């Protein structure tokens, strides 16, 4: 197979815990992907923590992937209240979701892209490139339309802070891309790239690259970007039973990733939603469930987190 040449722009970062890329930082926050359900849970959890005097917006690095990128960007930009109002609106007007990701019967190309992602059994560059090529070929809403919509959702046009790191994957090279303030990309564009699920959303231009969802990889959280920090708060989905023929073949292993983060010397506070239905991650009807769950768990965690962060 012909070798694929990387773009020399400094955005590609291999997953490497040994690199300890957060070495010297006091606190890193990691927010993984998980659709509308997890975004609603994040909003409720973080807002309830704030009501208890625990504000995770005060961090040295925040890493967001897919739904986590939306939340990380909103949190860094001081938009937590705005995000809460937005999610409540999505619950009451589910048609907004349809406008973000138009429903209807998928085309063969869309189905091919979604299946290529859903049934990944490894996260080799070749496999990621195969998914990426299918994503590029699928007819979806234009990249600019999605980026503009997310700019309106976030309510910001400028990068909110040097601590914000969002992840996505290069469709052509299969590399992991980390977008920060130095990339010269708008937050709406970066979040759209991190959330560009193959076959549903169009890959996004990040510099000279075309990038898709950061979860099209061996990680839904990219915890290595917190390795070396003194402490890390990791909020993400638990391991899910996706009902595939051989679930053990999935390339992601959050428990192994967590073990690597701890082995790097980082003390970790880890929380997941108490219950998750993987078939309803994008269901607006699950928003009140996620809100209630997030508030309850945050109330229970507030004292322990306050001690952890002291």
């Amino acid at each position: 197979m012909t070798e694929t040449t990387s773009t020399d722009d400094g955005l590609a970062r291999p997953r490497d815990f040994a690199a300890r890329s957060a070495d010297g930082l006091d606190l890193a926050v990691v927010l993984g992907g998980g659709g509308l359900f997890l975004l609603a849970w994040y909003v409720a959890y973080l807002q309830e923590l704030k009501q208890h005097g625990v504000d995770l917006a005060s961090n040295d690095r925040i890493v967001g992937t897919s739904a986590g990128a939306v939340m990380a960007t909103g949190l860094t930009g001081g938009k937590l209240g705005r995000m809460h109002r937005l999610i409540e609106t999505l619950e009451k007007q589910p048609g907004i979701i349809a406008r973000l990701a138009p429903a209807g019967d998928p085309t063969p190309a869309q189905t091919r892209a979604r299946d290529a992602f859903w049934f990944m059994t490894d996260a080799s560059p070749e496999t990621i490139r195969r998914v990426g090529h299918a994503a590029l070929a699928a007819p979806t809403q234009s990249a600019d339309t999605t980026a503009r919509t997310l700019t309106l959702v976030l309510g910001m046009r400028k990068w909110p802070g040097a601590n914000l790191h969002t992840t996505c994957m290069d469709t052509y090279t299969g590399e992991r891309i980390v977008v920060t303030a130095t990339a010269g990309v708008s937050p709406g564009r970066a979040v759209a790239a991190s959330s560009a699920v193959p076959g549903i959303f169009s890959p996004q231009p990040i510099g000279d690259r075309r990038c898709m969802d950061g979860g099209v990889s061996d990680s839904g959280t990219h915890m290595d970007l917190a390795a070396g920090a003194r402490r890390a708060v990791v909020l993400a989905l638990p391991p899910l039973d996706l009902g595939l023929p051989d679930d053990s073949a999935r390339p992601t292993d959050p428990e192994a990733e967590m073990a690597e983060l701890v082995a790097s010397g980082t003390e970790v506070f880890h929380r997941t939603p108490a219950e998750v239905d993987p078939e309803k991650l994008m269901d607006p009807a699950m928003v009140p469930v996620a809100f209630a769950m997030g508030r309850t768990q945050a109330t229970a965690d507030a004292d322990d987190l306050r001690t952890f962060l002291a």
Side-chain angles (χ1 to χ4, degrees):
M1 181 177 290
T2 303
E3 183 177 351
T4 301
T5 303
S6 174
T7 301
D8 186 17
D9 56 9
L11 295 178
R13 296 197 205 176
R15 181 174 173 268
D16 184 5
F17 282 87
R20 295 173 58 88
S21 68
D23 200 20
L25 300 182
D26 181 60
L27 176 64
V29 175
V30 179
L31 305 179
L36 177 61
F37 173 85
L38 189 60
L39 181 58
W41 184 87
Y42 281 147
V43 168
Y45 187 86
L46 294 170
Q47 188 168 63
E48 189 67 21
L49 284 180
K50 191 172 182 180
Q51 294 297 317
H52 286 80
V54 180
D55 188 359
L56 290 182
S58 300
N59 59 70
D60 301 294
R61 174 172 296 177
I62 184 165
V63 180
T65 299
S66 200
V70 180
M71 189 69 258
T73 303
L75 186 64
T76 305
K79 304 292 186 179
L80 184 55
R82 178 188 179 94
M83 299 292 291
H84 191 278
R85 293 189 295 274
L86 167 71
I87 300 300
E88 285 186 318
T89 300
L90 292 179
E91 175 199 352
K92 297 169 184 174
Q93 300 182 36
I96 295 175
I97 294 291
R99 289 197 291 274
L100 287 170
D105 294 332
T107 68
Q110 286 177 298
T111 299
R112 185 165 55 244
R114 282 192 269 185
D115 287 352
F117 170 39
W118 192 248
F119 295 109
M120 285 173 62
T121 56
D122 67 79
S124 66
E126 292 79 11
T127 295
I128 295 171
R129 287 197 292 267
R130 185 161 55 248
V131 177
H133 296 167
L136 288 167
T140 53
Q141 193 174 66
S142 77
D144 285 345
T145 296
T146 306
R148 282 195 299 268
T149 299
L150 283 167
T151 296
L152 292 173
V153 166
L154 293 166
M156 66 181 83
R157 296 184 179 276
K158 295 182 179 179
W159 200 260
N163 58 332
L164 175 62
H165 292 52
T166 66
T167 66
C168 52
M169 303 300 295
D170 189 313
T171 57
Y172 180 73
T173 67
E175 295 170 300
R176 196 265 301 274
I177 304 303
V178 180
V179 182
T180 66
T182 62
V185 176
S186 72
R189 183 74 70 184
V191 167
S194 189
S195 308
V197 179
I200 299 177
F201 298 109
S202 177
Q204 292 286 328
I206 302 292
D208 197 36
R209 302 174 184 268
R210 293 298 179 271
C211 296
M212 61 185 169
D213 196 297
V216 187
S217 66
D218 57 357
S219 176
T221 54
H222 300 277
M223 294 183 213
D224 66 292
L225 297 173
R230 186 167 76 88
R231 300 169 297 179
V233 174
V234 178
L235 307 178
L237 288 178
L240 300 177
D241 179 1
L242 301 176
L244 300 179
D246 182 7
D247 230 25
S248 63
R250 290 291 291 179
T252 56
D253 187 346
E255 293 177 346
E257 194 173 1
M258 179 66 65
E260 288 190 87
L261 179 58
V262 172
S264 77
T266 298
E267 185 181 2
V268 178
F269 183 98
H270 178 216
R271 184 62 68 237
T272 68
E275 295 181 35
V276 179
D277 184 341
E279 295 184 359
K280 296 183 178 180
L281 292 177
M282 288 302 292
D283 185 353
M286 293 300 292
V287 168
V289 175
F291 272 168
M293 193 183 301
R295 285 193 293 266
T296 298
Q297 290 184 260
T299 299
D301 288 343
D303 288 343
D304 287 343
L305 252 176
R306 190 179 296 107
T307 300
F308 179 79
L309 298 173

